Amino acid sequence: MKKTKLHIEFEATVALVNNFTEPLPADILLKLYAYYKIANSNFDNPGSKTPLINAFKANALFQANNMSKKKAMQAYIALVEKELK
């Protein structure tokens, strides 16, 4: 399957976030988490050993659950451009 320009930009943005060394605010991380999960259609359990962190992640995902994969990718990229660049 041929990757779209959006998909390529999304993957590059994810790589940028993964290589980012400075700490990010929790609210930004939670939004990025939710957008990433939706963009990749990955709705597995959050997987943290801390129930409170799992609750925050589940809440972030719930708040963004009406997004399409495309919108989630666009939101992820926009948030990174606003907060990290």
Side-chain angles (χ1 to χ4, degrees):
M1 185 171 103
K2 188 174 179 285
K3 289 185 180 176
T4 63
K5 183 176 181 253
L6 174 63
H7 204 97
I8 293 165
E9 187 180 0
F10 174 71
E11 287 180 347
T13 306
V14 168
L16 175 88
V17 170
N18 288 340
N19 292 318
F20 203 72
T21 54
E22 295 173 37
L24 295 170
D27 61 323
I28 302 300
L29 289 173
L30 287 167
K31 286 179 185 174
L32 290 174
Y33 168 82
Y35 299 152
Y36 180 85
K37 292 287 247 181
I38 292 167
N40 288 290
S41 297
N42 177 353
F43 300 103
D44 294 343
N45 287 334
S48 172
K49 290 181 175 63
T50 309
L52 185 61
I53 292 172
N54 284 337
F56 279 121
K57 286 181 170 182
N59 186 50
L61 202 48
F62 179 75
Q63 288 179 16
N65 76 348
N66 289 332
M67 288 184 136
S68 66
K69 287 175 75 166
K70 181 179 177 182
K71 285 274 186 223
M73 283 188 221
Q74 291 167 333
Y76 189 101
I77 293 165
L79 183 59
V80 169
E81 288 180 353
K82 179 179 174 230
E83 298 294 336
L84 307 190
K85 291 186 176 178

